[in-house]
């Protein structure tokens, strides 16, 4: 029996680098993306076409997209906040536009500085602007599993928004656990319902490890038939509400687990770890990745001398 | 329907403090144990009756056991390496003796400085010495899910050793993932077989989070009917083969997850977090606990000012 394929998207070049205090040099970004391309990802979130003033960390979006080496079979997705960003991105030849809004009204206002209604209108304009262009469109819904300001989120709001975008012809939706509030039984419930009510939509799950539950949540989602996940090289990508806590699900930890569990991620873990090993120098701090520190489970160590002769 | 009970044992006072570079003052140990006693644990591993020269970090075992305040309903267990240790422990009134050996020959020699055969004999002597004493005996088998020097461990060896101790009348066995090599499908397989072949033995599972899998492994074990777990306050307890990696499963992360999943741990998470918050000062370094940094999932944060008026 062939192994079940799980598709992984690395979001470190956008979601990770955007959150770093130091500016990651453009050539380093390009080199990291190029190396990730060789690891076997289905998709890489390469950058964001937000205003360079709003997010200076990713002010080099055009140069990154023009200079990376595209690997056939890998989709290069970028975050797009508005029609202006869509136009910039189109001129660079992207594969997918990733649009974002929150399920939580408070989080949407805090994070995107507008009401959900305005966000939905704005996303509608981007979707309209991209019609006819040779790019896929993905909508990422933030705070699906809870809001750091509101607390629990009514799942009716999650499904109302999925329905809203499905009506606009969207077939790709990411359900995002923006600040690590998801837990396995909740994940199972929401994913099961999402797949049952929207069989034509390809869902991606995006977990954070803020409270140590990212891995368990990935397995819970797979139980319901979900087969696409975002994760971030090294576990980069912070949570502004939990200083020092882990950020995104760590790609190499997810790959390590899924391969052990008998899934085919298509990813070369050793090659991936070599890319992750470059991060501490680039971001100038220790990174959350456990696998980078400990190695994979069969990393063996020499036995102490002299123990062979024990009687 | 009442919730299923999961029994948790905190091992930080022994397994955690033993691995710390600084000596934890005796009164601090006593105070941490006393506070843990009020949190709702089924069992607390309080100290170790090893030679004070071999493990100076726990050289105050007698004083700790004499001065802690015993809470009715909580079992106080201690690690016992030999008959001399058993005699010392008995004079302090322990509830349970925890005996340890490895399934891996190499790890047993490296860690305990003797062959498995000698260890099994020595444990037999302790079991004999404790017969008639009012204490329970638990055998902890190390490296059940893999050895950092040998790699994979034949499960036939695991079951041979379980059988060996079952024949000696042992009814409590801990299956320990000493260096974080376990993964969920492996946990499921071993636990299922252990419960089927040894229905009279009460198994405890002891996981490490070295590769980010402790939480997923706990859930996998519960799937097979396991209901007892070791975990360590703050995630204390290192792995000498993975510098900087996480150690034991973190108690507050396990409690947080299990309560969300609908289990009854009997533990007061807020009270537990107050104890964990004392650790960084005591051990003089940052601790792995994610929940201590991020708070439980419904820890809400104030929304930024001015967002209420957005149109």
């Amino acid at each position: 029996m062939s192994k079940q394929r799980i598709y992984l998207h690395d979001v470190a070049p956008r979601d990770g680098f955007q959150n770093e205090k130091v500016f990651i040099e453009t050539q380093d970004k390009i080199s990291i993306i190029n190396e990730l391309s060789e690891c076997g990802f289905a998709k890489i979130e390469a950058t964001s076409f937000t205003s360079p003033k709003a997010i200076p960390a990713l002010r080099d979006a055009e140069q990154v997209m023009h200079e990376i080496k595209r690997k056939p079979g890998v989709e290069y997705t970028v975050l797009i906040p508005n029609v202006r960003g869509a136009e910039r991105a189109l001129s660079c030849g992207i594969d997918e536009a990733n649009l974002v809004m929150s399920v939580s009204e408070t989080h949407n206002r805090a994070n995107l500085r507008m009401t959900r209604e305005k966000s939905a209108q704005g996303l509608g304009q981007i979707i309209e602007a991209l019609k006819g262009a040779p790019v896929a469109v993905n909508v990422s819904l933030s705070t699906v599993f809870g809001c750091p300001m509101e607390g629990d989120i009514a799942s009716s709001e999650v499904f109302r928004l999925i329905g809203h975008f499905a009506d606009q012809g969207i077939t790709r939706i990411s359900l995002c656990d923006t600040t690590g509030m998801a837990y396995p039984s909740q994940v199972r419930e929401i994913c099961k319902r999402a797949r049952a009510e929207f069989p034509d939509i390809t869902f991606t799950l995006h977990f954070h490890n803020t409270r140590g539950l990212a891995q368990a949540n990935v397995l819970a989602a797979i139980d319901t038939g979900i087969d696409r996940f975002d994760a971030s090289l090294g576990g980069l990508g912070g949570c502004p509400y939990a200083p020092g806590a882990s950020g995104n699900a760590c790609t190499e930890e997810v790959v390590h687990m899924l391969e052990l569990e008998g899934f085919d991620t298509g990813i070369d873990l050793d090659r991936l770890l070599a890319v992750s090993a470059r991060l501490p120098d680039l971001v100038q701090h220790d990174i959350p990745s456990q696998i980078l520190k400990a190695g994979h489970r069969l990393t063996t160590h020499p036995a102490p001398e002299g123990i062979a002769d024990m009687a």
Side-chain angles (χ1 to χ4, degrees), chain A residues 19-251:
Chain A
N19 279 288
E20 294 300 327
K21 280 188 187 130
V22 300
F23 180 75
I24 312 297
E25 294 300 330
T26 307
Q27 290 310 318
D28 289 327
K29 286 172 179 152
I30 292 166
S31 148
I32 291 283
I33 295 169
N34 287 348
E35 289 180 36
L36 288 174
S37 292
E38 298 298 326
C39 289
F41 288 98
K43 198 188 285 186
I44 296 171
E45 190 174 45
T47 187
S48 173
F49 285 87
T50 31
S51 150
K53 278 180 193 156
I55 302 183
L58 302 179
R59 61 180 183 251
D60 49 11
E62 272 88 352
Q63 192 182 349
V64 166
M65 289 310 292
H66 279 124
E67 296 188 14
I68 55 171
K69 190 178 158 198
R70 313 283 175 104
K71 171 106 174 171
V74 181
E75 286 194 54
Y76 297 87
T77 187
V78 299
L79 194 147
I80 291 184
N82 50 37
V83 173
R84 172 77 192 106
E87 289 162 355
R88 287 171 59 205
L90 281 180
S91 74
C92 300
I94 58 167
D95 296 311
E96 183 191 82
N98 187 24
L99 322 186
V100 180
M101 70 170 287
S102 286
V103 181
S104 152
E105 179 68 28
T106 309
H107 186 265
N108 202 79
R109 291 180 185 214
N111 195 44
L112 302 174
R113 315 304 299 178
M114 63 182 94
T115 63
R116 285 186 300 172
E117 198 183 335
K118 275 225 166 135
S119 277
Q121 280 171 11
L123 266 49
Q125 289 163 3
I126 304 172
I127 293 165
E128 204 54 46
L130 290 172
K131 273 196 179 140
V135 296
V137 179
N138 185 80
V139 172
S140 286
L141 297 176
S142 305
T143 67
V144 163
F145 301 91
C147 167
M149 290 159 285
E150 290 187 17
D152 270 321
I153 288 292
S155 57
S156 56
E157 283 301 285
V158 175
F159 289 98
R160 182 179 69 77
L161 281 170
I162 297 173
H164 168 82
F165 288 109
D167 289 345
Q168 295 196 25
I170 293 299
T171 59
R172 299 175 171 204
I173 289 184
S174 297
L175 304 177
C176 303
D177 180 29
T178 311
T179 60
M181 296 173 69
Y183 54 98
S185 54
Q186 177 199 34
V187 168
R188 218 171 262 118
E189 191 182 316
I190 289 179
C191 291
K192 202 171 164 184
R193 182 171 162 195
R195 280 176 47 80
E197 293 188 15
F198 298 94
D200 297 334
I201 288 182
T202 300
F203 288 101
T204 294
L205 270 288
H206 175 111
F207 293 118
H208 279 226
N209 198 35
T210 322
R211 292 170 178 90
L213 287 171
Q215 301 270 72
N217 287 334
V218 167
L219 293 180
I222 290 176
D223 276 352
T224 71
I226 296 291
D227 63 359
R228 290 189 168 266
F229 296 92
D230 286 348
S232 179
L233 186 70
L236 288 191
C239 165
Y241 302 102
S246 287
N248 282 280
C250 170
T251 308

